[in-house]
Amino acid sequence: MSENLELNYEGVERQPLHVYTEKAYLDYSMYVILDRALPHIGDGLKPVQRRIVYAMSELGLSASSKHKKSARTVGDVLGKYHPHGDTACYEAMVLMAQAFSYRYPLIDGQGNFGSPDDPKSFAAMRYTESRLSGFARVLLSELDQGTVDWVANFDGTLEEPSLLPARLPHVLLNGTTGIAVGMATDIPPHNLREIAKACVALLDKARTPLADLLKHVKGPDYPTEAEIITPPEELKAMYETGNGSVRMRAVYEREDGDIIVTALPHQVSGARVMEQIAGQMLAKKLPLVEDLRDESDHENPTRLVIVPRSNRVDVAALMSHLFATTDLERSYRVNMNMIGTNGRPQVKNLKQILQEWIAFRIGTVRRRLKWRLDKVDARLHVLEGLLIAFLNLDEVIRIVRNEDDPKKVLMKTFKISEIQAEAILETKLRHLAKLEEMKIRAEQEELTGEKKELEKLLGSDQRIKTLIKKEIQADAETYGDDRRSPIVARDAARAMDETDLVPSEALTVVLSTKGWVRAAKGYDVDVKGLSYKSGDGFLDSAQGKSNQSVVFLDSDGRAYSLPAHSLPSARGQGEPLTGRFKPASGAEFRACVMGRDDDEFLLASSHGYGYVCKFSDLVTRKKNGKAQIRLPAGSRLLPVAPVRDYDGDQLVSITSEGYIALLYAKEVPRLARGKGNKIQGIPPKRLKAGEEEVAYLACLGPKQKLTVHCGKKYKTMNLKELEDYRIERGKRGRKLPRGYQNVTAIEVVEPARAGQD
């Protein structure tokens, strides 16, 4: 007895708790691994699947019989072989009948066995009917030919096969998934013809390298026409190790401008995909899609219609985004873990699986041939006795008629066995005709020939391999079909940026003095004529595209940004920016800017300091913004001026006292952030006292003009006229002519408008 066990005076076994729990858990684990979750390499079935198929064959539910209620089959399985829950058993049975789940269904179902959208929407077992499919013959046809070991069922009253004598490597054909204790399995389905060719290659040459096998086995073959886009090198690594993943992508086509999805990845629900796309549309994250419809029916099992917003939408980019963000593209884990012929679970590569299954098949065929040889020998033995009886028919009749124990007398008289004597005694009078002797001799001759062939086969490994090869090829011809899942090289899916998803439309962003913002479509917008709240009014505006960002600058010199398409419509009065950002207490929004990443802008303070920066330098995702321009104490941010050509533009600066200065834009430094350099100088005393400041800035192109407004009066000057005001950077400049020194506004005039003036 174990040292951990002891018996008390009542004979009760005592055991430490840790020993008992460890043993109990290990026993349970082994049960789950071997008898529930993992398939056997021989027939590729889990115990519950094997019992369902065997029980249906015992009920006579072959492919040529009538369907019977599924409840009848489930009842037999539970009552005779598998004492577990009826729901789990029926689900396993339904799975084997679903053509969208199994590559080669083992059960032919009649009734509601679920749909690709909801595989578990099948009807109750009292409503559905089923029978074995034609393909199930691959597993059952040799069952009664001495090919398998039989074991007692759970209560010892019946026997069931420990394995089914599969004529093909079913473990690869339909694949399986399962979760055991501490291990799992995920074996993908494959094409029968491809696997058959690989088996034949190994039967012809046992040392065939994996690379040559992969010339036949291109990859998994799921029961769907969606594309397998896993690169060949990854598929090769998967088959070398038994681990990896397979990526599938939906198939689509164009029809009258619409996108039609015609095939979905394995076990992907069309309804789920529609829900995912609709969710993005509702969240305004998919403005490129205008409408979505599911037109699937019996003729078109998968037909999802995606309607782009316009013909200008890049369909390839849109679908790439949907592949990356929905189940239109899906990855499947591969873990080819199974129970080998040694009874142990192991992750095997493709060659190991095929080699081990071929060894199993050779053993099965040997048993079948030996069983048949034994049957032939037994029949020849009986025929030999019957022939003796026919040659001595009168004596046999006399013995049977006169002797008390004719069997013993026959055995002694003709020196025959008990089996032969029994066969003679069981012969009916009708078989005593003269022609019967000829039939016996013909059968004897036929069986003798068969015996010689069987002995030849059993005496030659090569002959057995040739026989197996022919049987595999015959089954491949009978049950094989073309590949359903094409293997295609595709670029990796890429989710679009938010700006990529937004249509590029002209947009004018309007900022009010109170910090309210809104966006109007188009550029021809009367920004000052819009309706504003009481006490509020127009402050600044920016023009750009709806797929660009808009940047706001506050009185502290901090920059904030938002996607332009997310702004409220100009039909209303907008919304406050304080609801989107968290500016410092007392800070007010002063300017808004739009442009492309490489567009340049001049940022300056009223003390005359400034720099040129790119639009991308202004963009930030932080709600509290980022420090952009450092404003000297007492200064304010000037309106932002666009710089079209840093090397060619001219910079005009005007103070509140009418001093104007002209310099080249390139004299101002390019910075990402900071204070900048002095552009126009003002006497420190006047600056400190607040008597004078830089009030206006503008950048002019070669053909542009500058209009200076002084109340109702205005003066327009071209660059030649402005040349008189050119100064050295940092100087105060020269005063404008009398009557134009009290500047109220400036305007950059484009060439066309200048001609009109």
Side-chain angles (χ1 to χ4, degrees):
M1 185 175 291
S2 171
E3 60 181 6
N4 290 324
L5 301 178
E6 59 181 75
L7 298 176
N8 62 12
Y9 62 91
E10 294 178 344
V12 177
E13 179 183 308
R14 300 188 61 178
Q15 195 174 21
L17 182 60
H18 73 90
V19 174
Y20 171 77
T21 53
E22 182 179 348
K23 181 178 183 301
Y25 188 71
L26 284 175
D27 289 346
Y28 166 73
S29 301
M30 291 306 297
Y31 165 74
V32 172
I33 292 169
L34 299 178
D35 291 325
R36 186 185 297 180
L38 300 187
H40 194 282
I41 194 172
D43 58 11
L45 297 174
K46 301 177 186 179
V48 64
Q49 296 170 328
R50 187 178 301 118
R51 287 163 177 164
I52 290 170
V53 171
Y54 173 65
M56 294 183 75
S57 70
E58 287 295 286
L59 284 170
L61 296 177
S62 66
S64 58
S65 68
K66 290 185 177 181
H67 293 81
K68 283 189 179 179
K69 287 291 184 183
S70 299
R72 172 77 182 277
T73 299
V74 172
D76 261 38
V77 173
L78 300 186
K80 294 180 178 179
Y81 312 110
H82 196 74
H84 295 277
D86 60 339
T87 302
C89 180
Y90 182 50
E91 283 191 16
M93 179 179 170
V94 167
L95 186 68
M96 292 190 288
Q98 291 176 337
F100 51 84
S101 295
Y102 259 44
R103 182 63 177 83
Y104 301 97
L106 297 175
I107 293 174
D108 176 17
Q110 187 168 275
N112 178 11
F113 275 82
S115 67
D117 277 346
D118 188 2
K120 294 198 174 183
S121 63
F122 49 84
M125 58 184 170
R126 62 182 178 274
Y127 298 121
T128 63
E129 297 178 342
S130 57
R131 65 182 179 188
L132 291 170
S133 67
F135 181 77
R137 295 193 189 100
V138 170
L139 301 175
L140 294 165
S141 63
E142 300 173 0
L143 186 60
D144 57 351
Q145 298 178 27
T147 53
V148 297
D149 294 326
W150 295 80
V151 296
N153 70 337
F154 65 90
D155 61 2
T157 59
L158 295 168
E159 286 191 329
E160 61 176 309
S162 58
L163 290 173
L164 297 182
R167 298 202 308 261
L168 292 169
H170 179 253
V171 71
L172 288 173
L173 299 183
N174 274 321
T176 191
T177 60
I179 301 175
V181 177
M183 62 179 63
T185 182
D186 291 280
I187 305 172
H190 291 78
N191 185 270
L192 193 159
R193 290 177 179 171
E194 294 181 4
I195 294 296
K197 289 178 182 177
C199 288
V200 169
L202 276 175
L203 285 166
D204 286 337
K205 182 182 176 183
R207 294 185 179 180
T208 302
L210 179 64
D212 288 348
L213 295 179
L214 294 182
K215 293 178 182 178
H216 304 295
V217 182
K218 306 297 183 182
D221 187 23
Y222 292 89
T224 172
E225 296 176 358
E227 298 173 342
I228 293 176
I229 62 169
T230 308
E233 57 273 14
E234 291 186 21
L235 290 176
K236 181 181 179 183
M238 178 188 80
Y239 285 123
E240 286 176 342
T241 63
N243 280 301
S245 64
V246 176
R247 184 167 290 276
M248 293 194 78
R249 179 178 289 184
V251 175
Y252 72 92
E253 58 189 33
R254 299 296 303 277
E255 185 180 297
D256 298 329
D258 296 341
I259 303 168
I260 312 296
V261 178
T262 57
L264 294 170
H266 182 49
Q267 293 180 333
V268 168
S269 162
R272 172 64 178 157
V273 170
M274 298 287 284
E275 182 182 328
Q276 291 172 332
I277 299 176
Q280 293 189 39
M281 293 172 67
L282 289 173
K284 296 184 178 179
K285 293 182 178 180
L286 199 59
L288 297 181
V289 176
E290 182 178 359
D291 193 17
L292 197 62
R293 300 191 303 273
D294 187 352
E295 297 181 354
S296 305
D297 54 27
H298 291 291
E299 293 183 2
N300 302 288
T302 301
R303 183 178 169 85
L304 308 182
V305 182
I306 302 171
V307 182
R309 184 170 294 275
S310 71
N311 293 330
R312 292 175 295 174
V313 170
D314 186 343
V315 172
L318 170 60
M319 291 306 296
S320 180
H321 171 79
L322 293 178
F323 290 143
T325 57
T326 71
D327 284 346
L328 286 174
E329 182 174 312
R330 189 169 175 182
S331 184
Y332 300 87
R333 180 171 173 264
V334 174
N335 177 27
M336 294 194 282
N337 189 10
M338 62 196 72
I339 300 170
T341 51
N342 60 359
R344 296 180 179 180
Q346 182 185 357
V347 177
K348 304 177 188 292
N349 64 33
L350 178 64
K351 186 174 179 180
Q352 287 175 319
I353 294 171
L354 294 178
Q355 285 179 325
E356 195 165 334
W357 179 83
I358 287 173
F360 165 82
R361 181 61 184 159
I362 289 173
T364 301
V365 171
R366 279 191 171 278
R367 292 181 66 167
R368 185 188 81 197
L369 296 175
K370 184 65 171 63
W371 175 86
R372 179 57 186 165
L373 182 59
D374 291 342
K375 291 288 185 182
V376 169
D377 283 339
R379 182 59 180 165
L380 284 172
H381 182 63
V382 169
L383 290 175
E384 185 181 347
L386 290 176
L387 193 58
I388 291 173
F390 274 97
L391 293 174
N392 302 277
L393 189 56
D394 293 340
E395 182 64 15
V396 170
I397 292 173
R398 187 194 65 76
I399 291 172
V400 172
R401 179 182 294 172
N402 298 326
E403 297 295 336
D404 293 334
D405 191 353
K407 182 190 291 188
K408 288 184 178 180
V409 176
L410 286 171
M411 292 170 63
K412 185 177 181 181
T413 302
F414 300 110
K415 295 181 180 181
I416 60 177
S417 68
E418 183 178 355
I419 294 173
Q420 289 172 322
E422 189 68 37
I424 292 170
L425 292 172
E426 289 180 356
T427 302
K428 295 180 181 180
L429 289 174
R430 72 177 65 176
H431 293 154
L432 298 178
K434 185 177 181 181
L435 290 175
E436 197 64 31
E437 180 183 346
M438 297 173 63
K439 290 181 180 179
I440 291 173
R441 289 189 182 278
E443 185 180 354
Q444 196 175 36
E445 184 179 350
E446 182 183 346
L447 291 177
T448 301
E450 184 180 352
K451 179 179 179 179
K452 289 180 181 179
E453 289 298 321
L454 291 171
E455 288 173 342
K456 282 183 182 179
L457 286 170
L458 287 168
S460 170
D461 290 341
Q462 188 56 47
R463 288 177 185 269
I464 288 181
K465 288 183 179 180
T466 302
L467 174 63
I468 293 173
K469 182 169 68 172
K470 289 180 179 179
E471 291 175 348
I472 289 174
Q473 289 171 335
D475 286 333
E477 183 66 27
T478 303
Y479 304 108
D481 56 5
D482 294 333
R483 166 174 282 276
R484 292 189 192 172
S485 303
I487 300 176
V488 184
R490 300 288 187 195
D491 294 333
R494 186 185 71 85
M496 289 185 179
D497 294 333
E498 193 172 0
T499 54
D500 295 334
L501 289 167
V502 178
S504 179
E505 298 175 343
L507 206 67
T508 300
V509 176
V510 182
L511 178 67
S512 74
T513 55
K514 298 292 185 181
W516 284 61
V517 67
R518 51 189 148 169
K521 289 185 178 181
Y523 296 150
D524 190 15
V525 180
D526 182 9
V527 293
K528 295 182 179 179
L530 295 175
S531 171
Y532 293 89
K533 288 182 175 290
S534 177
D536 200 0
F538 171 75
L539 175 64
D540 196 9
S541 67
Q543 294 179 342
K545 299 291 185 180
S546 55
N547 58 352
Q548 294 177 337
S549 295
V550 56
V551 171
F552 301 93
L553 294 157
D554 70 6
S555 55
D556 288 343
R558 298 185 72 83
Y560 310 78
S561 61
L562 282 175
H565 70 86
S566 69
L567 298 177
S569 170
R571 294 191 184 96
Q573 293 178 328
E575 65 178 71
L577 285 174
T578 50
R580 301 277 192 108
F581 305 126
K582 296 179 180 178
S585 177
E588 297 178 352
F589 290 98
R590 289 294 184 221
C592 61
V593 186
M594 288 185 75
R596 295 183 295 270
D597 287 347
D598 291 335
D599 288 350
E600 293 184 309
F601 295 89
L602 174 67
L603 270 62
S605 68
S606 59
H607 281 196
Y609 291 89
Y611 63 91
V612 173
C613 69
K614 290 183 178 181
F615 182 78
S616 58
D617 296 329
L618 303 172
V619 178
T620 177
R621 293 185 178 181
K622 297 178 181 179
K623 285 192 173 183
N624 60 350
K626 70 171 183 177
Q628 185 60 48
I629 178 170
R630 192 165 75 249
L631 300 174
S635 68
R636 62 182 178 85
L637 177 71
L638 294 178
V640 180
V643 180
R644 293 178 176 82
D645 182 4
Y646 179 74
D647 293 321
D649 280 2
Q650 305 284 337
L651 176 59
V652 178
S653 176
I654 304 175
T655 72
S656 56
E657 293 297 313
Y659 284 89
I660 182 171
L662 178 71
L663 59 154
Y664 295 107
K666 61 184 178 182
E667 295 182 57
V668 180
R670 278 173 165 161
L671 299 173
R673 66 178 69 185
K675 179 181 178 182
N677 290 358
K678 184 172 263 190
I679 299 172
Q680 185 178 14
I682 297 174
K685 289 183 179 180
R686 295 186 62 81
L687 194 63
K688 188 174 182 180
E691 296 174 353
E692 188 177 1
E693 64 177 6
V694 175
Y696 304 99
L697 279 172
C699 281
L700 300 179
K703 295 183 179 181
Q704 290 179 321
K705 295 182 180 182
L706 180 72
T707 299
V708 178
H709 294 268
C710 299
K712 294 182 179 181
K713 295 171 60 179
Y714 66 89
K715 179 179 178 64
T716 300
M717 297 174 284
N718 58 29
L719 284 177
K720 187 175 182 180
E721 295 171 305
L722 287 169
E723 193 64 33
D724 295 337
Y725 300 98
R726 185 173 297 280
I727 61 162
E728 183 183 344
R729 183 180 62 80
K731 299 297 182 180
R732 191 179 188 187
R734 294 174 55 193
K735 264 200 171 188
L736 285 163
R738 189 180 299 275
Y740 294 98
Q741 296 173 358
N742 189 19
V743 181
T744 56
I746 64 172
E747 180 184 1
V748 176
V749 183
E750 297 295 335
R753 290 184 58 192
Q756 294 173 3
D757 291 340

